[in-house]
Amino acid sequence: AQTVTQSQPEMSVQEAETVTLSCTYDTSESDYYLFWYKQPPSRQMILVIRQEAYKQQNATENRFSVNFQKAAKSFSLKISDSQLGDAAMYFCAYKTSYDKVIFGPGTSLSVIP
Amino acid sequence: GAGVSQTPSNKVTEKGKYVELRCDPISGHTALYWYRQSLGQGPEFLIYFQGTGAADDSGLPNDRFFAVRPEGSVSTLKIQRTERGDSAVYLCASSANPQETQYFGPGTRLLVL
């Protein structure tokens, strides 16, 4: 069965600094998708970034980038120039083409002014 | 365009009562998903619709839970004989097709007293 692990229940970062959130997953599939979702206190799950497993190039989205290591089954999220609005729960997630999304347990990110 | 909407935003009910939670997906999205998120955890899959039919209902915890999508758009999650353990946030997501990214609604917070 596919599983997603986030080993950091809580993280904090100084405003304007860089932080990396870790994620590992377990799967026997070769074709899949990985995501990072952000969930602020409003409960709205917001897509931050998406990575297709067949693409070797790491996805980037403005201040957000990933380090995708397929052999190691690792998918970390780097947030550069952290802003107060980045404070939220961050969920790493995995999906195959015709399947549900499997979420990790989440990392709570605090941004210190 | 409009995103995924869910009603009600909050629902308080008594143990043993019946509740219905509604999801309006993004217009044109054929795939619709229901997830349940308990406090401090990541969302867990309940059921997935492709069009009007339930393509995967393996996440429904027991036969008190049922969902429909009669016209392939709006979906209703129905919970009979609610129990205190059903208290959670129920999230709905939709995607243009099963291979595409899922976009989430704001969720319904259910509290069973």
Side-chain angles (χ1 to χ4, degrees):
Chain A
Q2 297 93 347
T3 58
V4 178
T5 302
Q6 293 177 252
S7 59
Q8 306 154 316
E10 297 179 351
M11 291 282 284
S12 62
V13 61
Q14 206 77 30
E15 193 175 6
E17 295 296 310
T18 296
V19 64
T20 299
L21 307 184
S22 301
C23 172
T24 58
Y25 58 95
D26 188 24
T27 184
S28 58
E29 303 288 336
S30 59
D31 188 18
Y32 50 88
Y33 305 86
L34 296 164
F35 307 87
W36 279 97
Y37 282 92
K38 168 186 176 182
Q39 188 178 43
S42 66
R43 295 199 312 249
Q44 182 76 54
M45 193 75 75
I46 302 164
L47 178 67
V48 175
I49 202 164
R50 160 186 163 128
Q51 174 83 43
E52 289 88 350
Y54 66 85
K55 290 186 177 179
Q56 292 188 334
Q57 186 173 6
N58 289 324
T60 63
E61 196 71 41
N62 299 316
R63 297 183 294 107
F64 299 88
S65 62
V66 297
N67 184 3
F68 173 46
Q69 301 289 329
K70 190 172 184 179
K73 297 179 182 175
S74 170
F75 184 61
S76 62
L77 174 70
K78 185 171 81 171
I79 306 174
S80 303
D81 185 25
S82 297
Q83 300 175 0
L84 295 177
D86 294 334
M89 284 291 292
Y90 285 81
F91 292 97
C92 179
Y94 160 99
K95 179 184 183 306
T96 55
S97 290
Y98 288 88
D99 208 349
K100 55 191 174 283
V101 176
I102 298 171
F103 288 87
T107 296
S108 178
L109 179 66
S110 302
V111 180
I112 303 164
Chain B
V4 178
S5 62
Q6 293 186 244
T7 54
S9 179
N10 295 281
K11 176 70 176 179
V12 181
T13 191
E14 294 179 343
K15 181 176 177 296
K17 298 291 188 180
Y18 168 83
V19 296
E20 290 189 351
L21 312 179
R22 175 187 169 108
C23 172
D24 279 88
I26 293 171
S27 178
H29 279 194
T30 62
L32 185 147
Y33 305 78
W34 283 99
Y35 295 84
R36 179 168 70 174
Q37 187 176 22
S38 299
L39 191 64
Q41 298 181 20
E44 293 181 320
F45 170 77
L46 294 176
I47 186 170
Y48 147 52
F49 288 90
Q50 179 57 39
T52 60
D56 183 354
D57 65 357
S58 62
L60 294 178
N62 52 60
D63 61 5
R64 296 187 297 106
F65 288 74
F66 189 71
V68 295
R69 195 185 185 199
E71 298 179 357
S73 178
V74 171
S75 177
T76 304
L77 178 65
K78 308 180 181 192
I79 310 174
Q80 299 177 320
R81 304 184 304 279
T82 52
E83 300 178 355
R84 293 193 179 87
D86 299 335
S87 297
V89 173
Y90 289 82
L91 295 168
C92 177
S94 71
S95 62
N97 61 63
Q99 294 174 297
E100 294 295 320
T101 297
Q102 296 178 19
Y103 295 92
F104 284 78
T108 294
R109 183 181 298 279
L110 176 66
L111 178 60
V112 182
L113 300 176

